[in-house]
Amino acid sequence: MKLPDGKQNKTEMRISVRNLVEFILRSGDIDNRRIGGAENAMQEGSRIHRMIQRRMGSGYETEVFLRYVYTAEKYILVIEGRADGVITEQNEKIRMLPGAESGSLEVADEDICVTIDEIKGTYRALERIKAPAPVHLAQAKMYAFIYGTQHALHFVRVRMTYCSIETEEIKYFHEEYAMTELTEWFNEVMGEYQKWAEHERVWHEQRQNSIMRMEFPFPYREGQRELVKYVYQTIYHRKKLFIEAPTGVGKTISTLFPAIKAMGQGLGDKVFYLTAKTITRTVAENTFEILRAGGLRFKSVVLTAKEKICFMGEAKCSPEYCPYARGHYDRVNEAIYELLTNSHSFTREKIEEYARKYQICPFELCLDMSLFADGIICDYNYVFDPHARLKRFFGEEGRENYIFLVDEAHNLLDRGREMYSALLCKEEFLKLKNEIGVAGKGGAAGQRHDQIFKIEKLLEKCNKELLRLKRTCEGMEIVEDIEPLVQILSQLSGSMDEYLEEKSEIYDTSVTDEILLFYFEISHFLEIYDELDDNYVMYTELESDGSFIVKLLCVNPSEKLRGCMDKGRSTILFSATLLPVQYYKKLLGGGEEDYEVYARSVFDPERRALFIGSDVTSKYARRSPEEYYNIACYIEEIVKNRHGNYMVFFPSHAFLEEVYACYAQHFADERKVCIVQGERMDEAEREAFLARFEGNTECDLGKEIQMEIETEEDQILIGFCVLGGIFSEGIDLKRDSLIGVIVVGTGLPQVCHEREIYRKYFDERGENGFDYAYCYPGMNKVLQAAGRVIRTAEDVGIIVLLDERFRQYTYRRMFPREWESCEIVTRNSIARKIERFWDSWL
């Protein structure tokens, strides 16, 4: 953007209309039961916007982009956003402005009347909306000020349009403002924002200067400099880059460093580092600290899930329950400013410290600090999930100057399918109906709530419609039409909304909480239903436990993911197991114009041995006591000649139990300790399991075999784990913490209705459906498990793939380049070959 003459040296900053008015004008409590009161509450569906905009006549201009350049002494603040509609029509009478009657005032376009239309979709009953929400009206007034200034108007009208998502009825609120009034109001808002803008100006200059001086903090590894260049060039050209980055490449610093350098050149305003697991968030946070230690001035925030950071144990966000929600918005800005001026790293610990000091919600403080952070470390859902995405960054149409770095990107496919799918269970409707009925019997006589009675009736109607669908379902049924169910769900959603708005005291809070949770589930289902297209399959299924479900399954999330990525300038997706890269590129929103690169492994291939067992398999037809014994024998032959720590990964927990029992019976001795991954391990149990591999023998793991061991150096530790489970990905056991990984089976997912839907869907579109539904996801689990060994350039270790199918081209074609050299073995030959490998490193 070209700045006015004489102002080229001023710092330019940007803020959206929405963020500006919400930040300055908010006050009071956090109350998630007040549907419509918080950031995510008013359901601003694009369908409602489009519907209303299509109904308007020729004088209605939609999605009008507005920008105002506010010039201060040392900075320029660009305020921008999109007005839902601008209505231009003939004025019915000449404006009676001061001076107009005598003709002494020149009125431009006095016969033209302009109205700014701000549309809000809601599930609330329109009769309960008595006036527009102050923040919504302020947003419209800001657009009115910008438009009126740009067009030299003397007055502007504002229309607040509230539309019921359930009934599509509309309620209007009209206001009319003289430009002098709007200008005075605008100046008051900017006066409130001045100290924040001045802080941002000073910080922006410091950050940009430090980025110019920033140097790569380590000696470049082989191929790392080229990878850094690829990332920078991708950002420069506004593309996506898919990186297959083997362990040891240094993918975190190799993506963050060029992204920050791009920010220094004005090619990005913020970096979003997106992860699926906590451990990778920690790595990103540590990388920012390394760069800051080298002189970088850069603020970062770690967004922690509400359920984890909530001080109250249970995230019930209402002022009656939570003292941190009560008056939160009256105190939060003071807390933000102190934290902003005293710290550069807004970690979970720092957020909690300031939240307790000011008695405010730590989760909301996290979100607010993201407005001022240069780097945001968070889960995928803050960018991609339609309900959890940060509307303060992604609420407007169009592309912003953001850089997305997606770590462990292979996880994004299943996460995307989950985020864009929706499910309802018939039994849950009856359960809630019964809970409401029991709670209602405890109320005072004559106090039965009309709205709750209506909810009960609608729950019953939903149950009957689901029962009708159930009667036509034999196991699993693809369905084309559930419109009768959707109509009842819309009515139920509206009734629940009205009840929650009233906050009735007749029913205990547990019932109200259950209604609120169910309300959110229904709302999600209805919103996904509105978005159905060819990437979805709708089906009903009778589950093994007798429950009946209706599911809107997103088979191909690529368009949804692409739409989210298009909110930013560029996206870099990377993983150690992004193979085959074209599969992930197609399903994660990539296009032909986007790039892919295979980063070279920096590890010495001689330090790792790869073996394929040719006389054993995990095929279902071959599963038997004899085959379990063969696998147990393999494990013994692999570990017996070299003490150390091993992990064995199995295709299921049931399979694991069979082999574990067999191994314990035939091969347990005084040198071995066998520990088993539980089916449902909590965080403490997971940490205890991993601690055994790091040398802590004091942890109690329940099921284990442990004999008397003369010295710790003689110990053989074997962890029995599940492929695709919590220990097959995201753990970092270096050097002697893990010297061998054994993978039993090809990782193919079990055949089920959903997998068969995937297979058929991609077959019909000219792809290999079996590969898409089974082979590729299975091999990814194998590669992830194998990647637990050899974590540093100094590590030495072995990988053993126990399944004869790994000899086939179907699977060998999916091997990474560094697996080109492998040995085919049998149960009788593997011990000699492994002994030879270890002897070469003694």
Side-chain angles (χ1 to χ4, degrees):
M1 172 181 153
K2 188 177 182 198
L3 301 181
D5 293 340
K7 300 176 182 177
Q8 297 295 329
N9 293 327
K10 293 187 177 183
T11 300
E12 179 187 341
M13 301 176 294
R14 297 167 65 244
I15 190 169
S16 72
V17 167
R18 175 179 181 148
N19 285 345
L20 177 60
V21 297
E22 286 190 355
F23 185 74
I24 295 300
L25 300 176
R26 60 190 178 176
S27 64
D29 307 326
I30 298 173
D31 191 350
N32 279 3
R33 292 178 306 170
R34 200 169 56 213
I35 308 303
E39 175 174 318
N40 297 317
M42 291 307 259
Q43 307 296 326
E44 300 175 309
S46 57
R47 180 183 67 85
I48 290 296
H49 280 66
R50 291 193 300 269
M51 179 196 74
I52 293 174
Q53 289 165 345
R54 281 197 301 266
R55 291 178 180 177
M56 299 298 111
S58 58
Y60 191 101
E61 189 178 359
T62 65
E63 299 298 328
V64 179
F65 180 74
L66 297 173
R67 170 182 287 178
Y68 182 80
V69 179
Y70 177 80
T71 303
E73 183 180 353
K74 295 182 179 180
Y75 63 86
I76 290 173
L77 184 63
V78 180
I79 305 167
E80 56 190 16
R82 290 182 182 272
D84 294 326
V86 175
I87 307 168
T88 304
E89 56 191 350
Q90 292 293 316
N91 198 359
E92 295 179 0
K93 59 182 179 178
I94 298 176
R95 297 296 303 159
M96 299 301 295
L97 294 174
E101 198 171 295
S102 63
S104 61
L105 177 67
E106 292 186 10
V107 181
D109 295 327
E110 63 182 18
D111 60 337
I112 297 297
C113 178
V114 173
T115 301
I116 302 298
D117 192 23
E118 184 66 19
I119 303 169
K120 301 295 180 184
T122 180
Y123 284 111
R124 292 176 65 186
L126 295 183
E127 62 268 19
R128 296 187 180 278
I129 302 177
K130 305 301 183 184
V135 172
H136 297 160
L137 182 59
Q139 191 173 344
K141 287 173 67 176
M142 187 65 72
Y143 290 133
F145 166 78
I146 297 174
Y147 192 92
T149 301
Q150 290 176 346
H151 293 79
L153 301 178
H154 288 80
F155 75 96
V156 184
R157 290 177 178 174
V158 165
R159 185 176 79 180
M160 291 301 308
T161 302
Y162 286 94
C163 180
S164 168
I165 294 177
E166 176 189 349
T167 66
E168 298 185 357
E169 291 178 285
I170 294 174
K171 186 171 187 176
Y172 296 112
F173 294 94
H174 296 273
E175 302 287 347
E176 187 174 303
Y177 300 98
M179 279 304 299
T180 53
E181 181 183 357
L182 287 173
T183 301
E184 182 180 354
W185 173 83
F186 174 80
N187 288 333
E188 289 175 359
V189 172
M190 297 312 299
E192 289 287 323
Y193 192 68
Q194 182 177 358
K195 77 170 184 178
W196 304 94
E198 181 61 24
H199 179 275
E200 283 293 281
R201 177 193 70 79
V202 173
W203 177 255
H204 183 270
E205 292 176 1
Q206 292 177 354
R207 185 195 76 184
Q208 295 302 86
N209 289 335
S210 72
I211 292 175
M212 296 299 290
R213 298 190 300 269
M214 182 180 66
E215 295 183 356
F216 199 76
F218 309 110
Y220 279 108
R221 299 172 182 174
E222 183 181 2
Q224 195 172 31
R225 187 187 297 271
E226 287 72 23
L227 182 57
V228 167
K229 289 180 179 177
Y230 290 146
V231 173
Y232 186 90
Q233 290 168 358
T234 301
I235 296 170
Y236 179 85
H237 290 292
R238 298 178 177 269
K239 303 293 185 184
K240 302 180 190 71
L241 175 62
F242 294 79
I243 306 174
E244 161 66 20
T247 302
V249 167
K251 59 184 184 297
T252 305
I253 189 64
S254 298
T255 52
L256 272 177
F257 178 79
I260 294 171
K261 276 293 186 183
M263 289 177 67
Q265 297 299 316
L267 304 180
D269 293 332
K270 289 182 186 290
V271 170
F272 288 80
Y273 194 96
L274 309 173
T275 76
K277 297 183 181 295
T278 302
I279 188 169
T280 47
R281 275 168 246 172
T282 303
V283 172
E285 187 180 344
N286 292 340
T287 303
F288 279 129
E289 285 297 336
I290 291 170
L291 293 172
R292 277 192 284 258
L296 176 66
R297 305 278 287 174
F298 201 87
K299 293 186 185 292
S300 61
V301 64
V302 179
L303 300 187
T304 306
K306 180 188 293 187
E307 292 73 21
K308 291 185 177 181
I309 203 172
C310 178
F311 292 150
M312 301 299 290
E314 185 179 1
K316 293 166 59 177
C317 303
S318 68
E320 293 85 2
Y321 171 78
C322 177
Y324 301 95
R326 196 177 308 127
H328 166 93
Y329 291 118
D330 299 328
R331 300 183 296 274
V332 67
N333 282 9
E334 186 179 352
I336 292 170
Y337 195 75
E338 183 179 345
L339 179 53
L340 193 61
T341 53
N342 285 289
S343 180
H344 296 163
S345 178
F346 313 136
T347 61
R348 175 176 177 174
E349 294 73 22
K350 189 66 69 175
I351 292 288
E352 289 178 342
E353 175 190 341
Y354 277 78
R356 290 188 188 279
K357 178 179 178 180
Y358 284 89
Q359 199 168 1
I360 56 178
C361 172
F363 178 69
E364 290 294 331
L365 180 59
C366 257
L367 298 182
D368 280 338
M369 296 313 298
S370 69
L371 286 170
F372 300 95
D374 308 300
I376 300 171
I377 305 169
C378 60
D379 188 86
Y380 296 157
N381 61 359
Y382 290 103
V383 171
F384 297 107
D385 191 297
H387 299 287
R389 71 169 61 115
L390 299 170
K391 290 183 173 61
R392 60 194 70 201
F393 299 116
F394 312 120
E396 301 285 348
E397 294 294 326
R399 173 174 288 196
E400 298 292 340
N401 207 25
Y402 303 139
I403 300 169
F404 302 133
L405 306 180
V406 185
D407 197 358
E408 302 293 351
H410 62 277
N411 287 306
L412 185 56
L413 176 54
D414 284 341
R415 285 287 299 277
R417 283 171 168 158
E418 179 184 344
M419 287 186 284
Y420 304 125
S421 296
L423 177 148
L424 291 177
C425 178
K426 174 184 177 297
E427 285 64 33
E428 293 300 317
F429 287 83
L430 278 179
K431 179 183 176 184
L432 181 59
K433 178 179 179 294
N434 293 334
E435 289 177 353
I436 289 173
V438 170
K441 292 176 182 178
Q447 285 190 322
R448 183 147 178 88
H449 198 282
D450 289 342
Q451 203 58 48
I452 210 78
F453 181 74
K454 187 176 179 182
I455 290 173
E456 282 188 273
K457 290 297 184 184
L458 288 169
L459 285 168
E460 178 61 30
K461 288 182 70 175
C462 286
N463 180 65
K464 287 181 178 179
E465 180 58 27
L466 286 164
L467 182 61
R468 185 187 68 80
L469 292 169
K470 180 179 179 180
R471 286 169 177 159
T472 64
C473 177
E474 297 181 4
M476 191 277 289
E477 194 79 27
I478 304 293
V479 293
E480 300 295 334
D481 180 22
I482 60 167
E483 189 61 31
L485 174 63
V486 168
Q487 290 179 6
I488 307 170
L489 287 173
S490 296
Q491 297 172 32
L492 176 60
S493 176
S495 293
M496 286 181 165
D497 181 77
E498 290 182 32
Y499 170 78
L500 293 166
E501 184 68 18
E502 290 180 357
K503 301 181 188 177
S504 173
E505 301 297 331
I506 297 174
Y507 291 82
D508 61 46
T509 56
S510 63
V511 172
T512 298
D513 292 341
E514 290 299 319
I515 291 174
L516 178 62
L517 292 173
F518 207 71
Y519 169 85
F520 287 141
E521 285 187 33
I522 292 171
S523 297
H524 174 65
F525 189 91
L526 291 171
E527 289 174 21
I528 294 298
Y529 182 80
D530 282 339
E531 299 291 326
L532 292 183
D533 57 21
D534 289 342
N535 294 304
Y536 280 83
V537 171
M538 190 162 52
Y539 72 90
T540 59
E541 183 173 15
L542 189 61
E543 305 266 75
S544 58
D545 63 358
S547 59
F548 177 73
I549 65 166
V550 177
K551 186 163 186 179
L552 313 177
L553 176 64
C554 181
V555 179
N556 182 359
S558 59
E559 289 186 15
K560 300 286 188 185
L561 295 173
R562 185 184 303 115
C564 294
M565 293 182 209
D566 285 347
K567 293 287 186 180
R569 177 191 182 95
S570 179
T571 303
I572 314 297
L573 304 99
F574 48 98
S575 169
T577 59
L578 209 61
L579 292 175
V581 71
Q582 293 301 326
Y583 162 74
Y584 285 104
K585 190 176 178 182
K586 288 177 182 177
L587 295 187
L588 296 182
E592 293 183 3
E593 71 282 2
D594 295 315
Y595 312 137
E596 65 266 2
V597 64
Y598 196 118
R600 186 182 308 172
S601 175
V602 299
F603 293 157
D604 179 0
E606 298 299 320
R607 302 180 75 89
R608 185 219 66 237
L610 175 66
F611 303 99
I612 297 176
S614 62
D615 54 350
V616 69
T617 186
S618 67
K619 286 181 180 179
Y620 191 81
R622 289 261 297 272
R623 295 183 186 183
S624 64
E626 180 182 359
E627 200 68 11
Y628 299 142
Y629 178 76
N630 287 338
I631 294 169
C633 286
Y634 255 109
I635 295 171
E636 176 65 12
E637 294 296 303
I638 291 165
V639 306
K640 69 180 183 181
N641 291 324
R642 178 68 176 183
H643 61 264
N645 299 342
Y646 300 83
M647 279 188 171
V648 189
F649 293 94
F650 296 88
S652 68
H653 207 276
F655 199 119
L656 178 157
E657 291 284 356
E658 294 285 358
V659 177
Y660 171 78
C662 186
Y663 189 84
Q665 178 182 351
H666 294 284
F667 301 108
D669 60 42
E670 67 279 2
R671 292 193 308 149
K672 303 187 186 81
V673 175
C674 298
I675 58 178
V676 177
Q677 174 184 337
E679 286 195 70
R680 293 176 181 83
M681 300 179 81
D682 60 28
E683 190 169 346
E685 291 171 327
R686 292 196 296 267
E687 290 178 357
F689 188 95
L690 292 175
R692 297 301 296 266
F693 287 87
E694 295 166 344
N696 186 348
T697 61
E698 302 301 318
C699 300
D700 181 17
L701 290 167
K703 179 185 283 191
E704 67 176 60
I705 304 172
Q706 184 168 5
M707 308 299 291
E708 293 295 326
I709 300 173
E710 294 183 5
T711 65
E712 191 172 320
E713 287 74 18
D714 294 331
Q715 174 180 302
I716 296 174
L717 175 67
I718 308 173
F720 286 72
C721 307
V722 178
L723 194 60
I726 54 178
F727 300 119
S728 66
E729 182 176 349
I731 63 171
D732 200 22
L733 298 172
K734 299 175 181 177
R735 300 178 176 85
D736 290 339
S737 295
L738 189 67
I739 66 168
V741 164
I742 304 167
V743 180
V744 179
T746 57
L748 296 185
Q750 288 189 338
V751 175
C752 64
H753 292 141
E754 214 156 90
R755 287 285 158 188
E756 286 300 291
I757 288 173
Y758 295 156
R759 182 187 60 77
K760 182 180 178 182
Y761 174 93
F762 289 108
D763 275 341
E764 290 174 348
R765 285 155 180 79
E767 305 289 351
N768 187 318
F770 185 78
D771 282 351
Y772 273 57
Y774 295 99
C775 282
Y776 297 156
M779 196 62 198
N780 188 275
K781 290 190 288 186
V782 171
L783 296 174
Q784 280 292 328
R788 297 316 94 206
V789 74
I790 311 293
R791 306 296 296 175
T792 74
E794 293 76 36
D795 291 3
V796 180
I798 61 171
I799 300 170
V800 183
L801 308 179
L802 293 184
D803 201 299
E804 61 191 26
R805 287 173 287 180
F806 284 116
R807 299 178 63 185
Q808 302 170 9
Y809 171 75
T810 300
Y811 296 94
R812 294 286 289 271
R813 66 192 168 98
M814 294 183 282
F815 281 14
R817 293 175 184 174
E818 53 270 23
W819 281 17
E820 289 178 356
S821 175
C822 63
E823 289 191 71
I824 308 298
V825 297
T826 64
R827 195 181 93 185
N828 295 325
S829 67
I830 190 169
R832 294 192 305 273
K833 299 204 174 187
I834 286 180
E835 184 177 13
R836 190 180 308 130
F837 171 76
W838 287 122
D839 286 346
S840 67
W841 287 101
L842 290 179

